[in-house]
């Protein structure tokens, strides 16, 4: 084997476990047509590869700065590109390095012992290294890094929990009569009869729980994909009842972690280089573990403090399989629960979640946000280390700050807290209504208060930092302007226009009542304005309740609007923590007024008008030809009249068509020499008919 410093450094190698379900392992894995889960796959589970599907994704994807060695999608990745030796004590960067034991070997042993543990029916993961023990002592469970479940096995697991949820729902409806008082008569009799027979089939630990708790627990039992689905559903108050969304907010956000050697192994494979060449130290204690990624603090060989985020094993293939199953179940549920649009919600979830698996997207998002706020040095986004980042690994600047919902933040001077609230309002309103590119997973854990120490003059001038930009939302020009007008109407007390703008961005379903929805939103806004006189101000809650009314009137909103609502609610909640009783409408009004007026300054209007310049030029160029052809056609008809019993009707139609065409030309700003002849023709046809 060649020495480590001469090994190929191909970019973004991906383990075989990360390939798509439709692809197969390299030739070393056995025959190309080998089914999933065969023993042949075990022989190459530690070998990285780049699949044809991923090469195509690289060719079709967005242009990104090259990683270490460039984005060469056709590179061959060798198993020897290991991370180098594991330190005897991961907590001590100066500890000696035993040459006989590599991180890949320890990771392989962990997988082997995990399979033995599964066969033996034990419940504990053996601790082979001190790094994993550090994570366990910090309160993290250690995940079983085995082979990903096959599609068939995942299907039956999902079906079992879905069926169990249906059975448990019948038991809950029959038992909790106060919560389900609307179920009466013969349907209630059938549900009680079914509950009597299916009750023994429901898991004992879930049998006596309310329906919302059963749903939450089953999502947790199904694993990371469904936990993330539940977190997304918790935002859909426009589709789901409040008691469901409130319970889903309690889903786990501290998921099991990889064994530390496995983590190091994936860092090396993801970057194509030994870990010791890139990082002087990686803290074995995780800073967090979510459904897709696991993050640790690290120090680069250049001495920079960074955050190292790594995609968990098999997550891509599991998400792809779960997305296929969710698409199937969504189509099935759409037949019975079309009011809640299950297929649409599940499709949106799959689209957003699969984007998060590619960490290059998060890097792109962070850099784009930094560009958008380049003129605001007090609003910061983490710097991305492209040379240490790839599809599976993301290295970014570590913010040294405090969360805005901590006692340390509320202990800051009043002027500093007012400054933080103002920066928060500026950043949120600018993301949403100016750039149309916003943080779609905003909560206090993704925000930092930076520079909280007094400066040379003794003043505290804090800054705001945003992290975890894997999920972002987009507003196009028309939608962004409409939502800006909606928010402007809200903070200025215009209930009718607020309701009108909100209804205009919704989608009407079957048996929808748009006018009723608009009236209900307007009345809700009026109640809010009356409460505002008594100091009860909660714009975020007003928007949330307005969106929540949509389900009653069969109106549906794009997921971006729900994500926008979450961002506003988060801002308002953090603001109330820092400044209890602050007037969110007043703080927002200042920035919204500036943004609103900027839309109508002469320069902005001129730029906006230039967007339609090509169409206007095209119309001017073609108008003489169209006019000449029209006159030639009329001359032919006048010189060669044809008697017809429908001649009068024909003249009436021509007159009406000319009138409509002229009106459209005037309303779209067409030149006078186009619409004036059209009106003249309309009058001429009318006179000829008479």
């Amino acid at each position: 084997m060649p020495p480590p410093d001469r090994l190929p450094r191909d970019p973004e190698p991906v383990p075989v476990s990360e390939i798509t379900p439709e692809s197969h392992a390299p030739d070393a894995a056995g025959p190309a047509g080998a089914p999933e889960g065969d023993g042949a796959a075990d022989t190459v589970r530690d070998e990285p590869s780049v699949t044809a599907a991923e090469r195509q994704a690289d060719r079709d994807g967005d242009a990104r700065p090259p990683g270490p060695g460039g984005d060469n999608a056709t590179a061959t990745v060798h198993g020897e590109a290991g991370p180098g030796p594991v330190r005897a004590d991961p907590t001590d960067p100066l500890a000696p390095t035993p040459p006989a034991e590599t991180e890949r070997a320890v990771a392989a042993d962990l997988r082997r012992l995990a399979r033995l543990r599964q066969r033996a029916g034990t419940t504990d993961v053996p601790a082979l290294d001190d790094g994993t023990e550090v994570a366990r002592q910090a309160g993290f469970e250690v995940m079983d890094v085995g082979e990903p479940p096959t599609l068939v096995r995942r299907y039956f697991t999902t079906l079992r929990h879905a069926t169990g949820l249906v059975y448990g729902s019948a038991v809950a409806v029959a038992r909790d009569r106060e919560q389900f008082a609307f179920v009466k008569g013969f349907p209630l009799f059938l549900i009680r009869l079914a509950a009597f027979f299916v009750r023994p089939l429901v898991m004992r630990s879930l049998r006596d729980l309310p329906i919302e708790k059963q749903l939450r627990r089953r999502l947790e039992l199904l694993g990371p994909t469904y936990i993330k689905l539940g977190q997304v559903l918790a935002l859909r108050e426009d589709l789901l009842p409040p008691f469901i969304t409130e319970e889903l907010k309690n889903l786990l956000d501290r998921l099991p972690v990889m064994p530390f050697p496995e983590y190091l192994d994936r860092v090396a494979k993801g970057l194509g280089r030994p870990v010791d060449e890139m990082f002087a130290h990686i803290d074995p204690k995780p800073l967090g573990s979510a459904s897709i990624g696991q993050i640790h603090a690290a120090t680069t060989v250049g001495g920079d403090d960074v955050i190292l985020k790594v995609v968990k094993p098999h997550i891509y293939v599991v998400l792809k399989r779960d997305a296929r199953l969710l698409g199937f179940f969504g189509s099935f549920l759409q037949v019975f629960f079309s009011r809640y649009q299950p297929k649409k919600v599940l499709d949106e979830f799959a689209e957003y979640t699969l984007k998060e698996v590619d960490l290059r997207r998060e890097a792109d998002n962070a850099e784009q946000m930094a560009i958008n706020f380049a003129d605001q040095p007090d609003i910061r986004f983490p710097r991305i280390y492209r040379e240490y980042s790839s599809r599976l690994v993301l290295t970014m600047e570590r913010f040294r700050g405090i969360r805005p919902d901590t006692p340390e933040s509320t202990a800051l001077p009043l002027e500093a807290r007012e400054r933080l609230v103002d920066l928060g309002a500026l950043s949120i309103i600018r993301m949403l209504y100016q750039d149309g590119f916003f943080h779609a997973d905003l909560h206090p854990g993704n925000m930092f208060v930076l520079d909280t120490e007094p400066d040379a003059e003794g003043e505290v001038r804090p800054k705001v930092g945003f992290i975890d930009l894997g999920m972002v939302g987009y507003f196009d020009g028309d939608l962004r302007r409409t939502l800006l007008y909606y928010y402007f109407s809200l903070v200025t007390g215009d209930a009718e226009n607020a309701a009108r703008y909100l209804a205009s961005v919704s989608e009407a379903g079957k048996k929808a009542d748009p006018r009723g929805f608009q009236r209900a939103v307007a009345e809700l806004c009026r109640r809010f304005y009356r409460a505002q006189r008594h100091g009860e101000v909660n714009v975020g809650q007003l928007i949330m309740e307005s969106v929540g009314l949509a389900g009653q009137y069969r109106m549906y909103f794009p997921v971006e609007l729900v994500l926008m609502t979450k961002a506003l609610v988060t801002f308002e909640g953090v603001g109330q923590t820092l400044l209890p009783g602050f007037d969110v409408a007043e703080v927002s009004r200042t920035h919204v007024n500036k943004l609103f007026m900027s839309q109508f300054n002469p320069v902005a209007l001129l730029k906006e008008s230039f967007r339609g310049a090509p169409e206007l030029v095209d119309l001017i160029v073609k108008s003489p030809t169209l006019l000449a052809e029209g006159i030639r056609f009329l001359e032919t008809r006048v010189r060669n009249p044809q008697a017809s019993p429908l001649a009068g009707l024909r003249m009436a139609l021509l007159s009406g068509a000319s009138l409509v065409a002229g009106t459209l030309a005037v309303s779209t700003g067409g030149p006078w020499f186009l619409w004036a002849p059209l009106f003249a023709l309309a009058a001429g046809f009318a006179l000829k008919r008479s």
Side-chain angles (χ1 to χ4, degrees):
M1 184 178 73
D5 57 348
R6 296 185 183 177
L7 291 174
R9 296 180 180 178
D10 299 316
E12 304 174 20
V14 181
V16 171
S17 62
E18 304 302 314
I19 66 176
T20 60
E22 297 80 5
S23 305
H24 59 79
D27 294 339
E36 292 174 326
D38 282 358
D42 293 342
T43 63
V44 294
R45 63 181 183 276
D46 296 322
E47 294 296 321
S49 70
V50 178
T51 67
E54 288 161 339
R55 295 191 188 101
Q56 184 65 34
D58 284 339
R59 288 194 293 268
D60 297 340
D62 300 332
R64 298 179 175 86
D71 283 340
N72 180 10
T74 62
T76 302
V77 182
H78 300 282
E80 288 83 8
V86 163
R87 305 184 190 281
D89 182 2
T91 62
D92 182 8
L94 301 179
T97 300
E101 189 176 39
T102 66
E103 291 163 357
R104 289 182 65 250
V106 174
D109 286 343
L110 282 170
R111 286 192 286 268
R112 178 177 56 80
L113 291 176
R115 288 195 299 273
L116 293 175
R117 173 185 62 77
Q118 186 177 13
R119 293 171 186 171
T122 59
T123 58
D124 194 21
V125 175
L128 297 184
D129 65 288
D130 294 336
T132 306
E133 275 302 304
V134 170
R136 182 180 292 174
Q137 291 173 7
F140 289 92
E141 295 182 14
V142 181
M143 65 184 296
D144 180 1
V145 186
E147 297 299 327
T150 64
L151 180 63
V152 173
R153 179 180 175 185
R154 193 64 176 162
Y155 167 79
F156 282 108
T157 301
T158 306
L159 180 63
R160 176 167 57 88
H161 282 285
T163 305
L165 181 62
V166 173
Y167 292 168
S169 300
V171 174
V173 171
R175 180 187 64 239
D176 304 330
R177 296 302 311 131
E178 183 176 346
Q179 184 177 13
F180 299 97
F182 57 89
V183 182
K184 303 176 182 177
F186 187 67
L188 177 60
F189 168 76
L190 292 179
I191 291 176
R192 283 178 168 172
L193 183 63
F196 176 79
F197 290 102
V198 303
R199 180 179 173 83
L201 304 178
V202 183
M203 294 174 59
R204 288 186 179 181
S205 59
L206 305 179
R207 188 180 298 164
D208 298 325
L209 295 178
I211 186 173
E212 63 272 19
K213 292 185 181 295
Q214 291 188 43
L215 174 61
R216 175 181 61 81
R217 283 292 299 133
R218 289 191 182 276
L219 291 175
E220 291 173 347
L221 291 172
L222 281 169
T225 304
Y226 292 88
I227 290 175
K228 191 161 191 67
L229 173 62
Q231 292 168 348
V232 172
L233 292 177
L235 306 175
R236 299 310 303 253
E237 297 193 14
D238 59 324
L239 299 177
L240 299 176
F243 69 92
I244 295 289
T245 56
E246 286 300 318
E247 181 62 31
L248 292 180
K249 292 176 182 177
N250 299 321
L251 280 164
L252 294 173
D253 56 2
R254 188 181 174 92
L255 300 181
V257 299
M258 294 177 270
F260 192 56
E262 177 77 15
Y263 181 88
L264 297 177
D265 185 52
R266 291 182 67 77
V267 172
K269 287 180 177 178
L271 299 177
R273 284 188 275 178
V275 172
D276 291 345
E277 287 188 7
M278 300 175 287
F279 302 100
H281 176 62
I282 299 178
D283 189 350
K285 178 181 177 181
L287 293 177
S289 178
S291 55
I292 292 176
Q294 178 176 326
I295 61 174
H296 289 246
T299 305
T300 66
V301 291
D304 295 337
D305 289 336
V306 296
I307 295 295
L308 195 57
K309 183 175 182 179
V310 177
V311 175
K312 290 184 174 180
H314 317 311
I315 195 66
Y316 179 77
V317 68
V318 171
L319 282 175
K320 286 287 288 184
R321 290 171 180 171
D322 285 344
R324 293 170 63 183
L325 294 177
L326 287 172
F328 168 75
F329 284 117
S331 301
F332 175 75
L333 293 174
Q334 186 72 23
V335 178
F336 302 98
F337 304 100
S338 59
R339 174 179 178 178
Y340 301 112
Q341 294 291 296
K343 183 170 179 19
K344 180 179 179 181
V345 172
L346 294 176
D347 289 345
E348 289 174 346
F349 163 75
E351 178 185 357
Y352 271 86
T353 304
L354 287 174
K355 288 180 180 179
E356 289 191 68
V357 178
D358 189 347
L359 295 183
R360 294 176 303 175
R361 290 185 179 272
E362 182 172 347
D364 293 343
N365 296 338
E367 291 179 340
Q368 184 61 52
M369 286 288 189
I371 293 173
N372 292 347
F373 285 85
D375 60 332
Q376 295 290 336
D378 294 334
I379 301 174
R380 296 193 54 204
F381 300 88
R383 170 195 168 194
I384 303 299
Y385 291 75
R386 286 285 183 175
E387 65 273 23
Y388 302 140
S389 299
S390 69
R391 180 186 294 109
L392 300 179
V393 181
L394 176 63
T395 304
M396 54 188 167
E397 175 187 3
R398 183 179 185 183
F399 283 158
R400 297 286 184 176
I402 55 178
R403 286 177 47 152
D405 58 347
T406 59
E408 293 83 357
S409 295
T410 56
L412 292 172
L414 177 61
E415 295 79 4
R417 286 181 281 134
E418 290 177 343
R419 172 183 169 82
L420 285 174
V421 171
D422 189 68
L423 286 174
L426 171 62
S427 58
I428 297 299
I429 291 172
R430 184 165 175 174
M431 285 182 197
L432 294 172
Y433 306 125
Q434 179 173 322
D435 301 328
F437 182 74
F438 61 94
H439 198 313
D441 189 21
L442 200 60
H443 55 78
N446 288 341
M447 303 169 64
F448 277 94
V449 179
L450 309 173
D451 297 345
T452 57
E453 297 297 326
D455 56 18
E457 300 177 357
E459 296 184 2
V460 178
R461 297 181 59 82
K463 300 178 181 178
V464 175
F466 296 91
I467 63 170
D468 196 6
L469 292 150
M471 182 183 291
V472 295
Y474 303 90
F475 289 150
D476 59 28
D478 293 337
L479 180 59
R480 184 176 69 249
R481 281 191 295 270
T482 302
L483 292 177
L484 170 62
Y485 302 155
Y486 166 63
Y487 195 71
F488 178 80
S489 301
L490 278 183
V491 299
T492 55
D494 189 349
E496 284 74 17
N497 276 327
R500 181 167 62 87
Y501 288 128
L502 183 62
S504 68
V505 300
S506 61
E507 177 183 348
K510 294 182 179 179
K511 300 181 181 180
D513 183 8
R515 297 298 299 274
F517 172 68
Q518 189 170 330
R519 288 193 297 269
V521 172
E523 179 57 31
L524 181 64
C525 291
R526 294 189 193 96
R527 291 203 305 269
F528 164 77
Y529 297 139
R530 290 194 294 268
Q532 190 177 17
R533 300 173 184 174
H534 305 288
E536 301 174 8
V537 181
N538 196 327
V539 173
Q541 190 63 34
L542 170 62
I543 298 175
M544 189 72 76
E545 291 184 14
S546 298
V547 173
L549 287 172
Q552 301 178 23
Y553 296 90
R554 304 296 178 94
M555 305 289 289
Y556 307 106
F557 291 102
V559 66
E560 288 82 7
L561 183 66
V562 180
L563 298 174
M564 178 204 79
T565 304
K566 180 186 178 183
L568 291 172
V569 170
T570 298
F571 158 65
E572 190 165 4
V574 171
Q576 291 289 353
T577 301
L578 294 172
L579 289 175
F582 90 107
D583 189 344
V584 63
E586 183 64 30
V587 174
S588 300
R589 192 178 298 122
T590 302
H591 297 289
V592 171
N593 282 337
K594 292 180 181 178
L595 182 57
F596 190 81
M597 295 307 298
S598 69
Q599 304 287 324
F600 296 99
N601 69 64
V603 177
L605 291 175
L606 185 61
K607 289 182 179 178
E608 191 71 22
S609 65
F610 274 120
R611 293 184 179 181
E615 288 80 5
L616 180 60
V617 171
D618 187 59
L619 180 62
I620 293 174
V621 170
K622 292 181 178 180
S623 57
T625 302
L626 295 174
L627 187 60
E629 290 181 355
I631 293 175
R632 192 177 302 114
F633 173 79
L634 292 175
E635 287 179 349
T636 303
R637 288 299 182 183
V638 170
R639 292 174 181 175
N640 302 296
Q642 296 179 0
S644 171
L646 300 178
L649 178 60
R650 183 165 59 246
M651 289 297 105
L653 292 175
L654 289 173
S655 176
S658 300
L659 181 62
V660 171
T663 304
L664 290 175
V666 171
S667 62
T668 56
W672 66 270
F673 52 81
L674 176 62
W675 52 260
L678 289 172
F679 283 129
L681 289 173
F685 287 137
L687 292 174
K688 184 173 179 60
R689 178 178 181 277
S690 62

Short mmCIF file of all heavy atoms in Angstrom, two decimals, residues 411-442:
data_model
loop_
_atom_site.label_atom_id
_atom_site.label_comp_id
_atom_site.label_asym_id
_atom_site.label_seq_id
_atom_site.Cartn_x
_atom_site.Cartn_y
_atom_site.Cartn_z
N ALA A 411 -29.43 39.63 31.02
CA ALA A 411 -28.68 40.45 31.98
C ALA A 411 -27.90 41.57 31.31
O ALA A 411 -27.29 42.39 31.99
CB ALA A 411 -27.72 39.57 32.78
N LEU A 412 -27.92 41.64 29.98
CA LEU A 412 -27.22 42.71 29.27
C LEU A 412 -27.89 44.05 29.56
O LEU A 412 -29.07 44.11 29.92
CB LEU A 412 -27.23 42.43 27.77
CG LEU A 412 -26.41 41.23 27.28
CD1 LEU A 412 -26.69 40.98 25.80
CD2 LEU A 412 -24.93 41.47 27.52
N PRO A 413 -27.16 45.16 29.41
CA PRO A 413 -27.77 46.48 29.61
C PRO A 413 -28.96 46.70 28.69
O PRO A 413 -29.08 46.09 27.63
CB PRO A 413 -26.62 47.45 29.28
CG PRO A 413 -25.37 46.66 29.47
CD PRO A 413 -25.72 45.25 29.10
N LEU A 414 -29.85 47.59 29.10
CA LEU A 414 -31.07 47.84 28.35
C LEU A 414 -30.77 48.30 26.93
O LEU A 414 -31.42 47.84 25.98
CB LEU A 414 -31.92 48.90 29.07
CG LEU A 414 -33.21 49.32 28.36
CD1 LEU A 414 -34.14 48.14 28.20
CD2 LEU A 414 -33.89 50.46 29.13
N GLU A 415 -29.79 49.19 26.76
CA GLU A 415 -29.45 49.67 25.42
C GLU A 415 -28.98 48.53 24.53
O GLU A 415 -29.31 48.48 23.33
CB GLU A 415 -28.38 50.76 25.50
CG GLU A 415 -28.80 52.03 26.21
CD GLU A 415 -28.76 51.89 27.72
OE1 GLU A 415 -28.32 50.81 28.21
OE2 GLU A 415 -29.17 52.84 28.42
N ALA A 416 -28.22 47.60 25.10
CA ALA A 416 -27.74 46.46 24.32
C ALA A 416 -28.89 45.57 23.90
O ALA A 416 -28.94 45.08 22.76
CB ALA A 416 -26.70 45.68 25.12
N ARG A 417 -29.85 45.34 24.79
CA ARG A 417 -30.98 44.48 24.44
C ARG A 417 -31.88 45.15 23.40
O ARG A 417 -32.41 44.49 22.51
CB ARG A 417 -31.77 44.14 25.70
CG ARG A 417 -31.04 43.12 26.59
CD ARG A 417 -31.85 42.77 27.82
NE ARG A 417 -31.74 43.80 28.84
CZ ARG A 417 -32.76 44.30 29.54
NH1 ARG A 417 -33.98 43.86 29.30
NH2 ARG A 417 -32.57 45.22 30.46
N GLU A 418 -32.07 46.46 23.51
CA GLU A 418 -32.84 47.17 22.49
C GLU A 418 -32.15 47.08 21.14
O GLU A 418 -32.80 46.93 20.10
CB GLU A 418 -33.02 48.64 22.90
CG GLU A 418 -33.94 48.83 24.09
CD GLU A 418 -34.03 50.28 24.51
OE1 GLU A 418 -33.14 51.07 24.09
OE2 GLU A 418 -34.97 50.63 25.25
N ARG A 419 -30.83 47.16 21.15
CA ARG A 419 -30.07 47.03 19.91
C ARG A 419 -30.26 45.64 19.31
O ARG A 419 -30.43 45.49 18.10
CB ARG A 419 -28.60 47.33 20.19
CG ARG A 419 -27.67 47.05 19.03
CD ARG A 419 -26.22 47.32 19.45
NE ARG A 419 -25.28 46.84 18.47
CZ ARG A 419 -24.93 47.49 17.37
NH1 ARG A 419 -25.47 48.67 17.10
NH2 ARG A 419 -24.06 46.98 16.51
N LEU A 420 -30.24 44.60 20.14
CA LEU A 420 -30.42 43.24 19.66
C LEU A 420 -31.79 43.05 19.02
O LEU A 420 -31.92 42.43 17.96
CB LEU A 420 -30.23 42.24 20.81
CG LEU A 420 -28.80 41.99 21.28
CD1 LEU A 420 -28.81 41.10 22.51
CD2 LEU A 420 -27.97 41.36 20.17
N VAL A 421 -32.83 43.57 19.67
CA VAL A 421 -34.18 43.45 19.13
C VAL A 421 -34.28 44.17 17.79
O VAL A 421 -34.89 43.67 16.83
CB VAL A 421 -35.21 44.00 20.13
CG1 VAL A 421 -36.59 44.08 19.49
CG2 VAL A 421 -35.27 43.11 21.36
N ASP A 422 -33.67 45.36 17.69
CA ASP A 422 -33.71 46.10 16.44
C ASP A 422 -32.95 45.36 15.34
O ASP A 422 -33.41 45.30 14.18
CB ASP A 422 -33.11 47.49 16.65
CG ASP A 422 -33.32 48.39 15.45
OD1 ASP A 422 -34.48 48.77 15.18
OD2 ASP A 422 -32.32 48.72 14.77
N LEU A 423 -31.79 44.77 15.67
CA LEU A 423 -31.05 43.98 14.68
C LEU A 423 -31.85 42.76 14.24
O LEU A 423 -31.82 42.38 13.06
CB LEU A 423 -29.70 43.55 15.26
CG LEU A 423 -28.62 44.62 15.39
CD1 LEU A 423 -27.40 44.06 16.12
CD2 LEU A 423 -28.21 45.15 14.02
N GLY A 424 -32.54 42.13 15.20
CA GLY A 424 -33.37 40.98 14.84
C GLY A 424 -34.48 41.36 13.89
O GLY A 424 -34.73 40.65 12.90
N ALA A 425 -35.15 42.49 14.16
CA ALA A 425 -36.22 42.94 13.26
C ALA A 425 -35.67 43.26 11.88
O ALA A 425 -36.26 42.89 10.86
CB ALA A 425 -36.91 44.17 13.86
N LEU A 426 -34.53 43.93 11.84
CA LEU A 426 -33.92 44.28 10.56
C LEU A 426 -33.57 43.03 9.75
O LEU A 426 -33.86 42.93 8.55
CB LEU A 426 -32.67 45.13 10.79
CG LEU A 426 -31.79 45.40 9.55
CD1 LEU A 426 -32.58 46.17 8.51
CD2 LEU A 426 -30.53 46.16 9.96
N SER A 427 -32.95 42.05 10.42
CA SER A 427 -32.51 40.86 9.70
C SER A 427 -33.69 40.04 9.19
O SER A 427 -33.70 39.60 8.03
CB SER A 427 -31.61 40.01 10.61
OG SER A 427 -32.30 39.63 11.79
N ILE A 428 -34.71 39.84 10.02
CA ILE A 428 -35.86 39.02 9.60
C ILE A 428 -36.62 39.70 8.47
O ILE A 428 -36.95 39.07 7.45
CB ILE A 428 -36.78 38.76 10.80
CG1 ILE A 428 -36.07 37.95 11.87
CG2 ILE A 428 -38.04 38.05 10.34
CD1 ILE A 428 -35.60 36.59 11.41
N ILE A 429 -36.92 40.99 8.61
CA ILE A 429 -37.70 41.69 7.59
C ILE A 429 -36.92 41.78 6.29
O ILE A 429 -37.48 41.64 5.19
CB ILE A 429 -38.10 43.09 8.12
CG1 ILE A 429 -39.12 42.93 9.25
CG2 ILE A 429 -38.66 43.96 7.01
CD1 ILE A 429 -39.45 44.20 9.97
N ARG A 430 -35.62 41.96 6.40
CA ARG A 430 -34.82 42.05 5.18
C ARG A 430 -34.73 40.70 4.47
O ARG A 430 -34.83 40.62 3.24
CB ARG A 430 -33.42 42.56 5.52
CG ARG A 430 -32.55 42.78 4.31
CD ARG A 430 -31.35 43.61 4.66
NE ARG A 430 -30.45 43.74 3.53
CZ ARG A 430 -29.36 44.51 3.53
NH1 ARG A 430 -29.08 45.24 4.59
NH2 ARG A 430 -28.58 44.56 2.48
N MET A 431 -34.54 39.63 5.25
CA MET A 431 -34.52 38.30 4.63
C MET A 431 -35.83 38.01 3.90
O MET A 431 -35.84 37.54 2.75
CB MET A 431 -34.31 37.22 5.71
CG MET A 431 -32.94 37.09 6.27
SD MET A 431 -32.94 35.71 7.47
CE MET A 431 -31.41 36.05 8.36
N LEU A 432 -36.94 38.30 4.57
CA LEU A 432 -38.24 37.90 4.05
C LEU A 432 -38.70 38.78 2.90
O LEU A 432 -39.12 38.27 1.85
CB LEU A 432 -39.28 37.93 5.16
CG LEU A 432 -39.12 36.91 6.30
CD1 LEU A 432 -40.13 37.21 7.41
CD2 LEU A 432 -39.32 35.50 5.79
N TYR A 433 -38.63 40.09 3.09
CA TYR A 433 -39.34 40.99 2.20
C TYR A 433 -38.45 41.80 1.26
O TYR A 433 -38.97 42.48 0.37
CB TYR A 433 -40.21 41.95 3.04
CG TYR A 433 -41.13 41.22 3.98
CD1 TYR A 433 -41.12 41.48 5.34
CD2 TYR A 433 -41.99 40.24 3.51
CE1 TYR A 433 -41.95 40.79 6.21
CE2 TYR A 433 -42.83 39.55 4.37
CZ TYR A 433 -42.80 39.83 5.72
OH TYR A 433 -43.62 39.14 6.56
N GLN A 434 -37.14 41.74 1.46
CA GLN A 434 -36.25 42.40 0.52
C GLN A 434 -35.49 41.40 -0.34
O GLN A 434 -35.51 41.49 -1.57
CB GLN A 434 -35.25 43.30 1.25
CG GLN A 434 -34.28 44.01 0.31
CD GLN A 434 -33.40 45.01 1.03
OE1 GLN A 434 -33.84 45.71 1.94
NE2 GLN A 434 -32.14 45.11 0.62
N ASP A 435 -34.85 40.44 0.32
CA ASP A 435 -34.06 39.46 -0.43
C ASP A 435 -34.90 38.28 -0.91
O ASP A 435 -34.56 37.66 -1.92
CB ASP A 435 -32.91 38.94 0.44
CG ASP A 435 -31.99 40.05 0.90
OD1 ASP A 435 -31.82 41.02 0.15
OD2 ASP A 435 -31.42 39.94 2.01
N GLY A 436 -35.97 37.93 -0.20
CA GLY A 436 -36.74 36.75 -0.56
C GLY A 436 -35.97 35.46 -0.36
O GLY A 436 -36.29 34.44 -0.97
N PHE A 437 -34.97 35.48 0.50
CA PHE A 437 -34.10 34.33 0.77
C PHE A 437 -33.87 34.32 2.27
O PHE A 437 -33.14 35.15 2.80
CB PHE A 437 -32.79 34.50 0.00
CG PHE A 437 -31.83 33.34 0.14
CD1 PHE A 437 -32.06 32.14 -0.51
CD2 PHE A 437 -30.69 33.46 0.92
CE1 PHE A 437 -31.18 31.09 -0.38
CE2 PHE A 437 -29.81 32.42 1.05
CZ PHE A 437 -30.05 31.23 0.40
N PHE A 438 -34.52 33.39 2.99
CA PHE A 438 -34.55 33.51 4.44
C PHE A 438 -34.26 32.18 5.13
O PHE A 438 -34.38 31.10 4.55
CB PHE A 438 -35.92 34.04 4.91
CG PHE A 438 -37.08 33.16 4.56
CD1 PHE A 438 -37.57 32.22 5.46
CD2 PHE A 438 -37.72 33.27 3.34
CE1 PHE A 438 -38.64 31.40 5.14
CE2 PHE A 438 -38.80 32.47 3.01
CZ PHE A 438 -39.25 31.53 3.92
N HIS A 439 -33.85 32.31 6.38
CA HIS A 439 -33.57 31.16 7.24
C HIS A 439 -34.91 30.48 7.56
O HIS A 439 -35.78 31.05 8.19
CB HIS A 439 -32.91 31.66 8.53
CG HIS A 439 -32.19 30.59 9.30
ND1 HIS A 439 -32.76 29.36 9.58
CD2 HIS A 439 -30.96 30.56 9.87
CE1 HIS A 439 -31.90 28.64 10.29
NE2 HIS A 439 -30.81 29.34 10.46
N ALA A 440 -35.04 29.22 7.13
CA ALA A 440 -36.33 28.53 7.26
C ALA A 440 -36.39 27.61 8.47
O ALA A 440 -37.40 26.94 8.66
CB ALA A 440 -36.62 27.73 5.99
N ASP A 441 -35.34 27.56 9.26
CA ASP A 441 -35.34 26.70 10.46
C ASP A 441 -34.88 27.53 11.64
O ASP A 441 -33.98 27.16 12.39
CB ASP A 441 -34.41 25.50 10.25
CG ASP A 441 -34.55 24.47 11.36
OD1 ASP A 441 -35.60 24.48 12.05
OD2 ASP A 441 -33.62 23.68 11.58
N LEU A 442 -35.52 28.67 11.82
CA LEU A 442 -35.08 29.63 12.82
C LEU A 442 -35.68 29.30 14.18
O LEU A 442 -36.89 29.15 14.32
CB LEU A 442 -35.49 31.04 12.39
CG LEU A 442 -34.74 32.20 13.04
CD1 LEU A 442 -33.25 32.13 12.73
CD2 LEU A 442 -35.30 33.52 12.55
#
